[in-house]
């Protein structure tokens, strides 16, 4: 054992060695070579920050659920609703229902295309049940919806197809651009979904695009389309032949398109009457239904159309289309009050499902801006 180690054990760890022994110099670190210049080392990868707490994003964008028919109808009547609700809100805020208020209400209803007759009926009802009472705008809206629904209820009748007629002939008429051809296609698709055998007649022989449009719809829906051999063919003869062929083929529904007629053009209306006259040669009960398609954006002009077409071809029911944001929906109330013709359906879009049976309460509440 080295003397220094022995001495450390005798004197305790850490004591100095005896004086006769020189202390050993502490070991010196070996010199390190100076670093040579070179490319900088890449930075060490840093850990990714933890995501902030919250809902995990969806893997793909979600598709918005389609709105229900009531919501779409309400949106389609927004223009008419604004006319009604803006005035109601400014006039009937905790105010007595006096003569001046009723006069303002009547003016508001006429401005919103409900017509003079319907406006007078509603005002008289308010006078009989609420005159002199203090009312709020919410109470007026609710009562107004009830009054409008009472006017519309008698005309809210679906078109019933009678299989015993075999075929049930539906003649579709209206002015240019109201949506006759599209309405026929929608009806055809709905009837086929109910299990009925449907044929369509492209009776708008004056407009080649109308024939092609109906043929495309026929391909989509699987309905047979009777088309003219050439543009400008006699529409009455085409309808007559289609009726006989459809009867032999056991068709349930025969939907007959017609050329758009301006209701103030006598010559064109005479041609339409010829179609009806020729059909009746085969069966005096034909057409079993005559639908007048009306564009809701035309407002009070629809009243003139109904009046003339009803005299010319004995209209049996109405279909109101284009109930979009620009529609003047109050005119349906005016039509119900003046003519009492069944309103079979209303349309809010281009798909077959967008043509629905007319519901008085839903329409009235949508028109006034109330929820279901």
């Amino acid at each position: 054992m080295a003397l220094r180690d022995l001495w450390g054990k005798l004197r305790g760890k850490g004591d100095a060695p005896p004086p006769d022994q020189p202390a050993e110099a502490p070991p010196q670190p070996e010199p390190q070579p100076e670093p040579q210049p070179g490319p900088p080392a890449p930075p060490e990868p840093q850990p990714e920050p933890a995501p902030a707490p919250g809902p995990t994003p969806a893997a793909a964008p979600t598709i918005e659920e389609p709105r229900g028919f009531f919501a779409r109808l309400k949106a389609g009547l927004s223009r008419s609703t604004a006319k009604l609700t803006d005035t109601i809100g400014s006039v009937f805020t905790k105010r007595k229902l006096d003569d001046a208020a009723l006069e303002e209400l009547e003016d508001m209803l006429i401005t919103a295309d409900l017509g003079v007759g319907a406006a007078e009926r509603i005002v008289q009802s308010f006078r009989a049940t609420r005159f002199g009472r203090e009312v709020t705008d919410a109470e007026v809206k609710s009562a107004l919806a009830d009054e409008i629904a009472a006017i519309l209820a008698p005309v809210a009748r679906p078109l019933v197809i009678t299989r015993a007629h075999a075929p049930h002939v539906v003649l579709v008429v209206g002015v240019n651009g109201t949506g006759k051809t599209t309405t026929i296609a929608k009806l055809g698709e709905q009837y086929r979904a109910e299990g009925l055998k449907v044929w369509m007649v492209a009776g708008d022989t004056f407009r080649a695009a109308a024939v092609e449009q109906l043929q495309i719809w026929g391909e989509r829906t699987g309905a047979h389309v009777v088309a003219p051999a050439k543009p400008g063919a006699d529409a009455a003869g085409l309808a007559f032949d289609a009726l006989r062929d459809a009867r032999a083929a056991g068709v349930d529904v025969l939907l007959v398109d017609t050329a758009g007629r301006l209701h103030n053009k006598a010559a064109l209306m005479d041609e339409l009457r010829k179609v009806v006259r020729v059909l009746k040669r085969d069966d005096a009960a034909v057409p079993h239904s005559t639908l007048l398609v009306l564009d809701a954006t035309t407002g009070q002009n629809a009243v003139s159309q109904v009046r003339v077409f009803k005299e010319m071809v004995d209209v049996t029911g109405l279909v109101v289309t284009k109930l979009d944001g620009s529609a003047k929906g109050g005119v349906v109330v005016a039509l119900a009050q003046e003519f009492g013709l069944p309103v079979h359906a209303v349309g809010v879009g281009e798909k077959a499902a967008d043509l629905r049976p007319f519901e008085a309460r839903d329409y009235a509440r949508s028109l006034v801006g109330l929820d279901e």
Side-chain angles (χ1 to χ4, degrees), residues 171-367:
L171 185 69
V172 182
V173 302
V175 304
N176 296 297
T178 57
K180 297 185 307 301
T181 304
T182 305
T183 297
I184 287 174
K186 293 175 183 178
L187 290 173
E189 186 171 345
Q190 292 176 4
Y191 293 146
R192 281 183 56 79
E194 296 172 7
L196 299 176
K197 186 174 182 179
V198 179
W199 279 17
M200 305 174 184
V201 182
D204 188 353
T205 59
F206 296 96
R207 190 166 62 95
V211 176
E212 295 172 358
Q213 181 184 5
L214 199 61
Q215 287 174 324
I216 292 172
W217 275 107
E219 293 174 0
R220 291 177 181 175
T221 62
H224 175 64
V225 176
V226 180
K230 60 181 180 179
D234 180 45
L238 180 71
F240 182 84
D241 292 340
L243 173 57
R244 288 197 167 182
D245 293 343
R247 183 178 292 114
V251 173
D252 296 306
V253 186
L254 185 66
L255 298 165
V256 183
D257 195 6
T258 61
R261 312 285 173 169
L262 296 175
H263 58 289
N264 56 357
K265 300 293 183 180
L268 295 176
M269 296 301 288
D270 286 341
E271 291 180 5
L272 181 58
R273 285 191 292 187
K274 177 184 174 183
V275 174
V276 175
R277 188 167 63 250
V278 170
L279 285 173
K280 289 186 177 298
R281 291 177 185 172
D282 186 88
D283 184 345
V286 173
H288 303 102
S289 303
T290 301
L291 301 186
L292 173 59
V293 179
L294 298 169
D295 181 343
T297 65
T298 61
Q300 287 299 308
N301 192 35
V303 176
S304 300
Q305 294 175 28
V306 173
R307 185 175 294 113
V308 175
F309 274 95
K310 190 174 184 298
E311 293 174 356
M312 293 290 181
V313 292
D314 190 24
V315 173
T316 62
L318 308 176
V319 175
V320 182
T321 64
K322 303 183 183 181
L323 285 167
D324 53 32
S326 61
K328 300 177 181 179
V331 72
V332 178
V333 185
L335 295 172
Q337 176 66 27
E338 182 165 348
F339 301 105
L341 284 169
V343 181
H344 295 310
V346 292
V348 297
E350 293 300 319
K351 297 180 180 179
D354 296 333
L355 185 71
R356 296 285 189 91
F358 180 66
E359 298 286 347
R361 181 182 181 275
D362 288 352
Y363 196 90
R365 294 184 70 83
S366 297
L367 187 61

Side-chain angles (χ1 to χ4, degrees), residues 28-184:
Q28 298 297 322
E30 295 183 4
Q32 299 295 325
E34 295 183 2
Q36 299 297 319
E44 296 184 2
Q46 299 296 323
E48 294 185 2
T56 303
T62 56
I63 299 175
E64 184 181 356
E65 290 294 327
R67 293 182 297 170
F69 187 79
F70 183 90
R72 298 183 64 190
L73 178 62
K74 189 175 179 180
L77 293 172
S78 58
R79 177 177 176 177
S80 301
T81 300
K83 286 185 178 181
L84 291 169
T85 57
D86 289 350
T87 306
I88 290 174
S90 61
V91 174
F92 297 99
T93 304
K94 284 291 182 180
R95 175 182 176 180
K96 283 189 176 181
L97 198 63
D98 53 16
D99 288 325
L102 288 174
E103 184 175 347
E104 289 187 61
L105 174 62
E106 185 172 3
D107 291 343
M108 172 196 68
L109 296 175
I110 295 173
T111 303
D113 295 297
L114 275 75
V116 175
E120 290 179 349
R121 172 175 169 174
I122 292 171
V123 167
Q124 290 304 319
S125 177
F126 270 60
R127 184 183 298 277
T129 58
R130 295 171 177 82
F131 188 79
R133 288 173 46 187
E134 189 175 84
V135 294
T136 65
D137 56 343
E139 291 171 338
V140 172
K141 286 182 183 179
S142 179
L144 182 58
D146 292 341
E147 294 295 339
I148 292 174
I151 295 173
L152 296 177
V155 303
R157 286 178 277 166
L159 176 62
V160 178
I161 298 299
T162 305
R163 291 198 185 205
H165 291 153
H168 186 121
V169 179
V170 181
L171 185 69
V172 182
V173 302
V175 304
N176 296 297
T178 57
K180 297 185 307 301
T181 304
T182 305
T183 297
I184 287 174

